[in-house]
Amino acid sequence: MTNYLLAGGGTAGHVNPLLAIADAITERDSDARVFVLGTKEGLEARLVPERGYELLTIEKLPFPRRVNRSAFSFAPRFSAAVRNVVDMISTHQIDVVVGFGGYASAPAYLAARRAKVPLVLHEANAKPGLANRLGARYTRFVGVAFHGTRLRNSRFVGMPLRREIERLDRDAARREARDVFDLADDRPTLLVTGGSLGARKVNRTIYDSRDMIIDAGFQILHITGDKSDLTDPGTRHYRMAPYCDRMDLALAVADFAVSRAGAATVSELSALGIPAAYVPYPVGNGEQRYNAADAVNAGGAVIVLDAKFTPEWISSSLIPLMTDRMRVQDMAVQSRLMGTLEGSSRMLTLIDEAVGSSSS
């Protein structure tokens, strides 16, 4: 029996691949014991117990970005967190630590090194975070979700995806999807999503351009996010939903997608061979532009800056692209070749290698 400590959290980008690996481990080996290290404030505090895994918590400790009072207290608090994780590793007889980035990861990486336990990393973003850049110094078992990710000792494994996405038969699910979303059988579908919180610019531009898109022969499935202030206009061939609890069906019915370029979204669309126009989130360190780069460079997607994503761009660029059937078919092929549905199994192989190396 192997005992695993999966470290990470804070945002869905860290928690979702962590949970995908936890599920893959327990599905393969029902005797395995999986513990998750996170914080009480992160998304993991709700999602991990809901999935049935034990959550071990440490203090949330962001790396200081400037010299101030909290910066001076960071070092002793961080050292205490590392000692805390070392104790957890001993108490739960952990055989391997697997980190996914986020606040809980950095203490876990140093604790694994101190406890001489194998360490494995997964980096979901094309632009690695600070914790994983640190952790990559201590292990040669580093998996990345994108080919272009630059991280020490890394190899491409892809993104660990939810089971319902990994096992999705798009052809078989398409009819159910049309029934669920009340979509026509004789029109291709444009899927629009800004992620779990939506995207105001993406939402407004698509909303204002819906008649043009429909007149071009498409129907629209528009997932706006819970915080959107748009109201459903009741337009024929335009379906609006504030959220979607069956994204597998939404992806099954999509012939083209417009989306932000979060790592999970890009990975799912690429793995399923869905051509896309990505509108990277304009705030932050620009990681979404990097996430889309593999798909764009392969010819499976296009990218447009948030400021240029306007009804004029829809008219001059998106509609001519979506109505070019030969190009869309080629984009679908290139997208599928760039993506993978085997992220979970490849990460399991990497973890097995790390465990095996410690016992040899």
Side-chain angles (χ1 to χ4, degrees), residues 125-248:
N125 284 297
K127 192 172 183 179
L130 186 58
N132 277 353
R133 294 204 304 271
L134 169 69
R137 300 178 182 180
Y138 306 136
T139 180
R140 59 188 176 89
F141 302 102
V142 180
V144 296
F146 296 103
H147 294 274
T149 302
R150 294 184 178 182
L151 189 60
R152 185 175 181 176
N153 296 319
S154 65
R155 71 181 83 169
F156 173 77
V157 297
M159 181 74 78
L161 301 174
R162 295 169 288 172
R163 290 175 182 171
E164 62 267 28
I165 303 300
E166 285 187 339
R167 300 171 183 177
L168 180 63
D169 183 336
R170 291 187 67 205
D171 292 333
R174 192 177 290 261
R175 179 166 294 280
E176 180 185 359
R178 288 184 177 131
D179 289 341
V180 167
F181 298 115
D182 191 24
L183 296 169
D185 292 337
D186 58 350
R187 279 180 174 250
T189 302
L190 172 65
L191 172 64
V192 182
T193 174
S196 59
L197 297 180
R200 181 172 297 178
K201 182 64 175 294
V202 172
N203 284 341
R204 173 53 66 178
T205 294
I206 292 296
Y207 187 86
D208 290 344
S209 306
R210 63 187 184 278
D211 289 337
M212 285 192 295
I213 297 169
I214 292 167
D215 288 346
F218 276 75
Q219 58 190 339
I220 305 168
L221 176 56
H222 189 176
I223 303 169
T224 61
D226 291 338
K227 295 187 176 182
S228 172
D229 57 359
L230 298 177
T231 56
D232 192 339
T235 304
R236 190 183 182 195
H237 300 308
Y238 175 81
R239 299 290 176 262
M240 176 187 286
Y243 62 93
C244 179
D245 57 6
R246 289 299 306 272
M247 274 305 296
D248 56 323

Side-chain angles (χ1 to χ4, degrees), residues 186-338:
D186 58 350
R187 279 180 174 250
T189 302
L190 172 65
L191 172 64
V192 182
T193 174
S196 59
L197 297 180
R200 181 172 297 178
K201 182 64 175 294
V202 172
N203 284 341
R204 173 53 66 178
T205 294
I206 292 296
Y207 187 86
D208 290 344
S209 306
R210 63 187 184 278
D211 289 337
M212 285 192 295
I213 297 169
I214 292 167
D215 288 346
F218 276 75
Q219 58 190 339
I220 305 168
L221 176 56
H222 189 176
I223 303 169
T224 61
D226 291 338
K227 295 187 176 182
S228 172
D229 57 359
L230 298 177
T231 56
D232 192 339
T235 304
R236 190 183 182 195
H237 300 308
Y238 175 81
R239 299 290 176 262
M240 176 187 286
Y243 62 93
C244 179
D245 57 6
R246 289 299 306 272
M247 274 305 296
D248 56 323
L249 294 182
L251 292 168
V253 79
D255 296 286
F256 203 98
V258 170
S259 175
R260 289 298 195 201
T265 300
V266 173
S267 296
E268 289 178 353
L269 292 173
S270 296
L272 295 172
I274 301 173
Y278 292 117
V279 190
Y281 187 55
V283 180
N285 62 5
E287 69 270 12
Q288 288 204 355
R289 288 188 296 109
Y290 293 94
N291 291 343
D294 279 357
V296 172
N297 292 338
V302 296
I303 195 167
V304 55
L305 298 180
D306 188 81
K308 294 185 177 181
F309 188 68
T310 63
E312 289 74 25
W313 186 86
I314 298 290
S315 175
S316 65
S317 298
L318 182 62
I319 289 176
L321 170 59
M322 292 196 305
T323 53
D324 186 340
R325 293 188 177 183
M326 292 298 293
R327 186 177 175 190
V328 168
Q329 289 175 4
D330 183 65
M331 289 177 71
V333 171
Q334 298 307 319
S335 175
R336 182 66 186 86
L337 290 173
M338 181 56 58

Side-chain angles (χ1 to χ4, degrees), residues 63-92:
F63 283 102
R65 303 288 181 175
R66 62 188 67 179
V67 178
N68 53 27
R69 181 176 298 177
S70 63
F72 288 109
S73 67
F74 175 79
R77 292 164 64 200
F78 185 82
S79 296
V82 173
R83 290 194 299 271
N84 193 7
V85 180
V86 170
D87 290 340
M88 293 176 185
I89 290 173
S90 175
T91 299
H92 297 287

